Amino acid sequence: MDNSDNSSSERSLERLTEIKAFIEASKKTNEKAEELQVDADKSLSKLNEVVFDDAFELTGHGKFNHIVLMTCGLIMLNVSMESVGMSYVITAAECELGLTSEHKGLINAAAFIGIISTSFLWGYLGDRCGRRAVMLPAMVASAVFSIASSFSTNVWMLLVLRFFTGCLVSASSATVYAYLGEMHTGSRRAAAIAWGSAFISFSFMILPGLAWLIIPGKWSFSLLGFTMVPWRVFIWSWCAPGLAAALALLWLPESPRYILASSGPEKALPILAKMFAYNKNSKISNYPVERIVTGSIESSKSSGFVGALKNITLLFRPPLLRCVLISHTLMFAVFMLSSGLYVWVPDILNSMLRSTSSESITICQVIKDKFEAAKNVTLLSQVGCKSEVAVRVFPISMGMGAVFAVTYLAIGVFIGKVGKKTLYSCIMVVCGVATVGAAFVPQGGAATALLILALCSGCAASILAAIAVDVFPTCLRAMAMCVMYMVGRTGAAVGSNLLGATLNLHCEQAFCIFGAFTAGSTLLIIFWPKPEKVREELEQRGLIY
């Protein structure tokens, strides 16, 4: 009996031990499952917390980027048309406003002077207030002043209004490159700037096309008691792209990179979510990023004016000093040839088309004949005024614009394959050689072709902008681009005046010097620093890219 009780107790103890072991094993399993769940939650949380560049990549590339590209293209088109449009007006308005050669030069230069004189201010405001916040009101105001200039009754009224138009156009002339670049990922930035810049070439087709359609007309009508003639209506026509871009900017957000630097990641996140939703045809709530992780941020708004001036001094200290010197010198060379020479092209073409010589003559001989004929302007003006434009100038100018468009589009295709610096250098060397050749070729058609090829140097400005925009931090990018284009337009003024002073007596030498300077300036690109190295050094100082 005792033995049976003992064996029963032993079996009970064994059973109890097994139950305790099972309970303990179950507890450990539950604890391990809870730990795994916590780890999974932490991992998911880490996936939803990413750095800004990764968050930007997740927005993709699609419909939203295409809208940004189209809008920025229209802004560039507007800037170009406002800058050079008066070159088609001054001949038609010559008699009505009593324009002399000096007046024409001032009117052509008025917009450029306005752009140059306010570039630094708009660069500061672009970095202080935002890219979109600066461009939107300035474009609307520039359209108002431009339309007002069409009601000018004398040369000085026209000159003042064109100057103020240039001051307002300046807000978008370089800030748009910062905005466009910041709205694209690093891998697509250069191509986006190149494609957007192609719209500049469209102005050289649209302007002469509109001029051909409107200016030769003999009609007029009364508006508010003011007689409107074709050249006045022509001014209205080129305001349309800027107003269309302003409407698009009402919908587009501020640059998320600017918002990151000025207001922090919390404000930038909704913009990225909006970009994601449009590019992916999804909902904003489906954007997988919940939080952007970033380091220290130097807020451009909190630093104030003194802080902004402190940031500006970074442009003139290593490592940015070398970038500033090289990029600004190269932009000076680009504009000196392209814009400095361009203002003379309508006159040169007009003179070549009106030349009665049966012999083949060079461009320099045509220019010399034009200066000789200009000596009789005063005598002729006493007899009577007759404004007349050779209509054949318009289709040639449109063909020139088509060549520019093809060049810009080719840049957009090859910039990612050939490389920015290589492509820039090749274009500038070819254009420099073409400039020299244009002065010595006696055949009018060949000389005109070389002249147009030389003017393609202006297309290289978009490549240079793509090179430069990578090295400047967000808080300095708009300022750096505005100053670079200010220096470039100074080059245009210098080039135009140098050609005006030398073409009459030293035409061949002037073309040779311009060509040599254009081709030789490309040597500076050899000393351009690696963007990664510059960025790493400045990020260590707390600056945001």
Side-chain angles (χ1 to χ4, degrees):
M1 187 74 177
D2 292 336
N3 290 335
S4 63
D5 290 340
N6 288 336
S7 60
S8 177
S9 298
E10 289 175 358
R11 284 195 299 271
S12 298
L13 288 173
E14 290 176 359
R15 181 61 178 169
L16 182 60
T17 302
E18 290 176 357
I19 292 173
K20 288 181 178 179
F22 176 78
I23 293 173
E24 290 177 359
S26 298
K27 287 182 179 180
K28 289 181 180 180
T29 302
N30 291 334
E31 290 174 358
K32 189 173 183 180
E34 290 176 359
E35 290 176 358
L36 290 173
Q37 183 62 40
V38 171
D39 290 340
D41 292 340
K42 288 181 178 179
S43 298
L44 182 60
S45 177
K46 289 180 180 179
L47 285 174
N48 291 337
E49 295 181 3
V50 299
V51 297
F52 179 81
D53 285 340
D54 291 339
F56 202 107
E57 287 283 352
L58 288 172
T59 62
H61 184 87
K63 182 167 59 177
F64 185 90
N65 300 90
H66 299 153
I67 295 173
V68 170
L69 180 60
M70 179 63 69
T71 302
C72 292
L74 289 174
I75 293 172
M76 295 181 196
L77 177 64
N78 176 67
V79 170
S80 180
M81 295 175 79
E82 290 284 10
S83 300
V84 302
M86 291 306 296
S87 62
Y88 294 95
V89 169
I90 54 177
T91 301
E94 181 177 357
C95 294
E96 186 174 349
L97 299 182
L99 302 180
T100 65
S101 296
E102 291 77 12
H103 291 154
K104 291 178 182 179
L106 287 173
I107 292 171
N108 267 332
F112 283 105
I113 294 171
I115 291 173
I116 292 171
S117 60
T118 55
S119 289
F120 193 87
L121 171 64
W122 290 119
Y124 165 73
L125 292 176
D127 286 329
R128 171 77 174 168
C129 305
R131 288 70 161 116
R132 175 183 174 275
V134 163
M135 292 191 295
L136 178 55
M139 278 192 296
V140 175
S142 69
V144 171
F145 273 90
S146 189
I147 293 172
S149 70
S150 70
F151 293 90
S152 298
T153 55
N154 58 69
V155 62
W156 301 112
M157 181 179 177
L158 180 62
L159 185 63
V160 170
L161 289 173
R162 294 314 302 174
F163 170 77
F164 283 114
T165 301
C167 291
L168 292 163
V169 166
S170 178
S172 305
S173 64
T175 308
V176 65
Y177 290 96
Y179 184 76
L180 179 58
E182 290 171 358
M183 283 297 202
H184 288 79
T185 60
S187 60
R188 295 181 179 270
R189 186 174 299 150
I193 291 176
W195 288 111
S197 298
F199 281 77
I200 296 174
S201 66
F202 298 158
S203 68
F204 297 104
M205 291 185 286
I206 295 172
L207 271 177
L210 290 172
W212 194 3
L213 181 66
I214 299 173
I215 288 180
K218 304 299 181 182
W219 47 265
S220 65
F221 63 91
S222 180
L223 179 66
L224 301 176
F226 196 91
T227 302
M228 302 302 298
V229 292
W231 71 264
R232 297 181 184 275
V233 176
F234 175 57
I235 295 177
W236 297 357
S237 66
W238 72 54
C239 297
L243 293 175
L247 287 175
L249 280 178
L250 287 173
W251 176 80
L252 287 172
E254 180 57 85
S255 159
R257 292 185 185 276
Y258 171 79
I259 294 297
L260 175 72
S262 63
S263 304
E266 294 81 9
K267 299 290 185 180
L269 187 60
I271 299 176
L272 296 179
K274 180 178 180 180
M275 294 172 65
F276 170 85
Y278 274 88
N279 284 336
K280 304 291 186 180
N281 290 321
S282 181
K283 296 180 180 178
I284 292 178
S285 58
N286 291 337
Y287 185 52
V289 179
E290 295 180 357
R291 183 171 177 269
I292 296 175
V293 180
T294 184
S296 59
I297 298 177
E298 289 192 4
S299 174
S300 61
K301 289 197 174 186
S302 62
S303 58
F305 182 73
V306 175
L309 290 179
K310 182 180 177 181
N311 283 342
I312 292 170
T313 61
L314 293 174
L315 292 173
F316 306 102
R317 298 203 304 259
L320 291 179
L321 177 60
R322 188 202 299 184
C323 302
V324 169
L325 292 176
I326 294 175
S327 61
H328 289 38
T329 302
L330 294 178
M331 192 63 81
F332 183 93
V334 168
F335 272 81
M336 190 177 83
L337 177 61
S338 60
S339 298
L341 182 59
Y342 181 80
V343 296
W344 291 93
V345 169
D347 268 347
I348 293 173
L349 291 177
N350 204 47
S351 299
M352 292 178 68
L353 293 171
R354 291 184 175 278
S355 177
T356 58
S357 175
S358 58
E359 300 179 358
S360 296
I361 58 175
T362 65
I363 284 178
C364 284
Q365 186 61 48
V366 171
I367 293 172
K368 185 177 180 180
D369 293 343
K370 179 177 70 70
F371 273 96
E372 289 293 331
K375 295 178 181 179
N376 300 320
V377 168
T378 303
L379 179 61
L380 291 173
S381 63
Q382 294 175 354
V383 177
C385 178
K386 185 178 181 181
S387 298
E388 186 176 351
V389 179
V391 178
R392 285 181 294 171
V393 170
F394 297 133
I396 293 176
S397 297
M398 293 176 69
M400 189 185 307
V403 173
F404 296 161
V406 171
T407 304
Y408 272 115
L409 295 176
I411 289 172
V413 172
F414 292 107
I415 194 169
K417 300 176 181 178
V418 178
K420 290 175 283 190
K421 294 192 291 185
T422 302
L423 191 58
Y424 170 83
S425 300
C426 290
I427 290 176
M428 293 298 283
V429 169
V430 170
C431 291
V433 173
T435 303
V436 177
F440 295 97
V441 174
Q443 298 296 326
T448 302
L450 287 173
L451 194 64
I452 294 174
L453 183 59
L455 293 175
C456 286
S457 59
C459 302
S462 64
I463 307 176
L464 191 56
I467 293 173
V469 77
D470 281 340
V471 298
F472 295 110
T474 303
C475 64
L476 292 173
R477 191 171 288 133
M479 172 64 72
M481 299 303 292
C482 283
V483 174
M484 185 172 74
Y485 273 86
M486 179 184 72
V487 172
R489 289 183 172 87
T490 302
V494 170
S496 177
N497 283 281
L498 281 178
L499 285 174
T502 59
L503 282 179
N504 188 22
L505 299 175
H506 308 286
C507 177
E508 290 84 358
Q509 293 89 333
F511 272 81
C512 288
I513 291 173
F514 270 58
F517 180 67
T518 299
S521 65
T522 58
L523 293 173
L524 290 175
I525 205 71
I526 298 173
F527 303 100
W528 188 261
K530 292 184 177 180
E532 298 82 5
K533 185 177 180 180
V534 176
R535 177 170 181 164
E536 181 181 357
E537 184 173 341
L538 292 177
E539 282 181 337
Q540 290 175 355
R541 302 182 190 180
L543 296 174
I544 301 297
Y545 273 82

